[in-house]
Each structure stands twice: as structure tokens, then as C-alpha cells.
Amino acid sequence: YYQHDGFQVCMPWEAFPATSALMDEIDPDVVHTNAHMVVGRGVVRAAHRTGRPLVATNHLMPENLIGYSPIPRPLRGMFNRWAWRDLGRVFGKAQVVTAPTPRAVELLVRHAGLVDAIPVSCGIDADRYRAIPHTSGPVPTVLFVGRLDQEKRVDELIRAFAALPDDVPGRLEIVGDGARREEWTALAAASGLGERVRFRGFISEQELLEAYAGADVFCMPGIAELQSLVTLEAMAAGLPVIAANAMALPHLVRPGRNGWLYTPGDVAELTTRLAALLGDAATRRRMGAASREIVAAHGSEATLDRFEGIYAQVLGREAVGM
């Protein structure tokens, strides 16, 4: 029913018996689910049925799904409220509920009623992105990485880039694919960007590392980021970041220190921020160094240690400082 090629749905009568059988086969000490819908719901049911400790992590905003559904627009607010309450009912069976950022936790508290949820960063292996040296091109490059879907607002980035003054050099590189790729490719052509913009589609992990290393500024115009791993990766690669002042992105971007935030939808403001960084190599270097300092708190080892502590807590072995 969802109008998106990337959505794959497993029916409950398939998922529930399969997850129950896996639970018996694996016999885990602790169950950790990262989803509450069909497969995740089956995992929660199986854990609850067998009395196993359960940890749940939320990465979903129901609002991100509604745009691809056949639900009429006047009913979408009601559906979103129901979807959040449903998430709360399922994850309410867990001993500990986490989300990647304080902003994501705030949403769980406000909309799902999960008042004891705690923030735990998804974490990244920062050394992978730090290891490849920066390779400057003839002109500075702005990079976006992510799905080319409506909530990412890449059209705002394209329009802002097209509005740069003539004396500001730059290239725009867009990595990723999605439902809006054809539309946004046409927008770039109609904006007269020509060879100054490149849509790369899906690329390999090595190519992605090289894309970060070859960029000078990272831009995330998305308005529904509960953390944004690609922004963390760009920061680990030493890039300054320009991001929408929305959802969890303000947790990563410290205005004036490692980049700038702009008002979502304000293309002129985004153009101003892009122009300032593209025209100032010294500021890019300073802000890129600050990005690496800030991202240090999101290392994968710290995340693993945090979750190991949570598992010990739900097993009753030790307490975890919250």
C-alpha cells in the first residue's frame, strides 16, 4: 500500500511465528529491538511471552511514513497521533527505551508517553572517516548524502546553490537515490547548474569515504533527522556543516563553531551560509577541526559500552547511571 519502492512489508501471520521460533532457537539473555512495527512487534511479543528482558530503541517518526501512504490528508493528523500511541504501547513492554538524541527522546515522551526513555547515540567508527586525507579540487565542493525523498529537502539546497553569486566558485555533489531524484535532477538542469552539480546515486563504501574526503562543506537540509549518521560521518571527515535548524540537527551543529544552522525553507539564508563558507578556506578548516572535536562524543566504542551497561542493568547485574 505504501507508494515507495524501498518499503518491504512482512505480514504479521508470517513474522510472529518466525520471530517466536527464532527466540526459542537463539535463547538470548537480553532482547534488543530497533523497531516496533511488524517484525519488531513480533520480537517484542516473543520476548514478553518468554519473560526475557527487553531493550527497545526508536529510530522512527510516523510522520515520515504518512506521505507515502494512501491515507487522505485530512485524516493524517489523527493517524499520526494513533501511530505514536501504538509505538508507546509496544515499546512500553521494554525495561529500557532509548533513542539516538535528546530531541528524539523528547518526541517519545511527548507523543508516545515513554517518560523514562534515555538518549544513546547510534555511534560511528570515526577513525574510518578521519583516515583518508582531504583532497581539494579546483573549486570547493558542497556534499549531500542521503535518500532523495521529500523530507530531505534537497530541492532547497539546489535552489540555494543556484542562487550563489557569480564570484563564489563551487560544485554540488549529491550522493543517494530516492523517489525525488528525477524531479530534483530536472530542477538542477532548469536552474542552469549544468556540470556544477552531479547526482551520483548509490555508491560503494569506499567511494563514500572518498566523497567525504573530496568535499569542503557538508549540507543537510532534512527536517526529520532523529540523529543523522551521514552528518556525523561528515564531521568525522573534518567537514564544516550547514544544516536545517530542525529536529536533532542542532545537537550536532554549533553555530559559528563547526558550521551554521538555517531556517528550513529559507533558501536565501541557506545561500548566504553557503557563500560565506565556500569563499573562506580558513573558516572551513577551523570549523572542520571543530567538527572532529564534537563528533568524538559519538564514537562507536562509547555507544557499545553504554548498551552493554544497559544490558547488565536489565539483567540485574549492575546499575547504569542515567
Side-chain angles (χ1 to χ4, degrees), residues 39-307:
V39 175
R41 193 174 305 241
V43 170
V44 171
R45 285 164 58 104
H48 196 59
R49 174 181 60 81
T50 57
R52 290 179 167 87
L54 177 65
V55 177
T57 296
N58 183 55
H59 301 277
L60 176 71
M61 287 179 57
E63 291 85 349
N64 288 349
L65 296 178
I66 195 72
Y68 303 103
S69 77
I71 297 172
R73 189 171 296 275
L75 300 179
R76 290 182 178 183
M78 183 172 64
F79 171 82
N80 283 333
R81 290 189 293 273
W82 171 85
W84 276 111
R85 289 195 298 269
D86 178 63
L87 187 157
R89 283 192 295 269
V90 177
F91 277 4
K93 299 180 187 298
Q95 281 73 39
V96 176
V97 178
T98 79
T101 59
R103 175 63 174 140
V105 166
E106 179 188 330
L107 293 174
L108 288 178
V109 172
R110 183 191 307 168
H111 299 304
L114 297 168
V115 297
D116 295 325
I118 58 174
V120 180
S121 175
C122 292
I124 63 166
D125 182 0
D127 289 342
R128 293 186 66 227
Y129 305 93
R130 190 181 296 117
I132 298 183
H134 183 256
T135 53
S136 296
V139 295
T141 297
V142 177
L143 175 67
F144 167 85
V145 178
R147 288 180 294 104
L148 301 188
D149 288 327
Q150 58 189 2
E151 68 272 14
K152 298 298 184 179
R153 302 284 189 98
V154 177
D155 55 320
E156 292 181 9
L157 173 57
I158 293 169
R159 292 200 300 272
F161 192 83
L164 287 170
D166 292 339
D167 61 346
V168 176
R171 295 177 60 256
L172 175 59
E173 189 153 296
I174 297 171
V175 172
D177 210 343
R180 296 295 178 95
R181 178 174 177 174
E182 183 176 342
E183 175 187 334
W184 289 340
T185 301
L187 173 63
S191 300
L193 291 177
E195 294 183 357
R196 294 180 64 206
V197 62
R198 179 167 66 147
F199 288 80
R200 297 191 60 184
F202 287 119
I203 60 178
S204 69
E205 282 296 313
Q206 182 60 35
E207 289 172 320
L208 180 59
L209 291 172
E210 293 168 357
Y212 286 126
D216 298 275
V217 177
F218 185 80
C219 185
M220 174 47 70
I223 58 168
E225 305 297 314
L226 289 183
Q227 180 158 57
S228 185
L229 288 177
V230 293
T231 302
L232 287 174
E233 291 168 358
M235 291 167 63
L239 296 181
V241 178
I242 300 174
N245 189 6
M247 279 302 166
L249 292 172
H251 292 308
L252 301 180
V253 180
R254 317 288 166 80
R257 184 179 172 201
N258 74 314
W260 297 103
L261 296 169
Y262 74 95
T263 305
D266 192 334
V267 173
E269 183 184 3
L270 177 53
T271 298
T272 298
R273 296 304 189 191
L274 288 170
L277 275 181
L278 289 173
D280 190 340
T283 298
R284 292 198 303 269
R285 287 192 294 271
R286 174 178 61 81
M287 288 186 166
S291 280
R292 282 183 165 157
E293 293 174 5
I294 294 168
V295 85
H298 297 274
S300 55
E301 288 300 321
T303 296
L304 292 172
D305 288 345
R306 188 77 174 98
F307 276 122

Side-chain angles (χ1 to χ4, degrees), residues 2-9 68 149 178-179:
Y2 281 97
Q3 301 163 359
H4 192 293
D5 293 339
F7 289 149
Q8 298 183 7
V9 178
Y68 303 103
D149 288 327

Side-chain angles (χ1 to χ4, degrees), residues 15-17 19-20 23 36-47 90:
F16 292 176
T19 51
S20 181
M23 195 71 65
H36 81 285
M37 297 183 74
V38 185
V39 175
R41 193 174 305 241
V43 170
V44 171
R45 285 164 58 104
V90 177

